[in-house]
């Protein structure tokens, strides 16, 4: 499968999983706003992780640096755009990213 095809599949899985996690964790936020911010966060961070970062970092550090930056950027987006408390924004970011990473790992492993 082409790398770019895997990217588009990953983006779909990431958006679906992370928006679902946000919907469960973040109560009281207008639903359309939450869906839009969740999709925006994935569209802003996943291309960075797959295309911009990969050529510049050794594979041993790629996961930690990449996911660390994604966690921070998405946490800040949730903080600013969803107006969450800082701890809830970063908790939502870490949980959403762990679940989507796990889903992606399982998808790649079993397909």
């Amino acid at each position: 499968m082409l790398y770019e095809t895997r990217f588009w599949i990953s983006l779909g899985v990431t958006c679906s999983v992370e928006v679902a996690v946000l919907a469960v964790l973040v109560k009281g936020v207008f639903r359309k706003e939450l869906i839009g911010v969740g999709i925006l966060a994935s569209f802003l961070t996943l291309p960075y992780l797959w295309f911009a970062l990969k050529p510049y970092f050794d594979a041993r550090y790629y996961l930690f640096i990449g996911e660390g930056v994604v966690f921070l950027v998405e946490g800040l987006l949730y903080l600013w755009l969803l107006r969450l408390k800082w701890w809830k924004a970063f908790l939502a970011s870490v949980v959403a990213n762990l679940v989507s990473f796990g889903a992606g790992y399982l998808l790649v492993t079993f397909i």
Side-chain angles (χ1 to χ4, degrees):
M1 182 181 311
L2 289 174
Y3 187 75
E4 291 81 2
T5 304
R6 288 187 1 227
F7 165 76
W8 287 110
I9 292 169
S10 179
L11 184 59
V13 170
T14 299
C15 286
S16 301
V17 169
E18 291 190 12
V19 167
V21 170
L22 281 174
V24 169
L25 293 178
V26 180
K27 295 180 175 99
V29 175
F30 185 58
R31 179 70 85 186
K32 287 182 184 175
E33 182 180 2
L34 183 134
I35 291 169
V37 171
I39 291 171
L40 175 67
S42 294
F43 267 80
L44 289 176
T45 57
L46 200 66
Y48 157 82
L49 189 62
W50 277 63
F51 297 105
L53 180 69
K54 193 169 185 167
Y56 300 105
F57 289 95
D58 185 278
R60 293 176 290 180
Y61 308 112
Y62 177 70
L63 179 65
F64 298 108
I65 293 170
E67 287 295 336
V69 170
V70 166
F71 153 72
L72 289 173
V73 169
E74 290 184 2
L76 289 171
L77 286 170
Y78 301 156
L79 178 71
W80 293 332
L81 298 177
L82 296 176
R83 294 172 211 81
L84 299 176
K85 294 178 182 177
W86 71 268
W87 63 269
K88 196 167 193 172
F90 289 101
L91 176 65
S93 177
V94 98
V95 171
N97 280 287
L98 284 172
V99 172
S100 71
F101 180 82
Y105 180 79
L106 289 174
L107 187 65
V108 168
T109 302
F110 294 109
I111 290 182

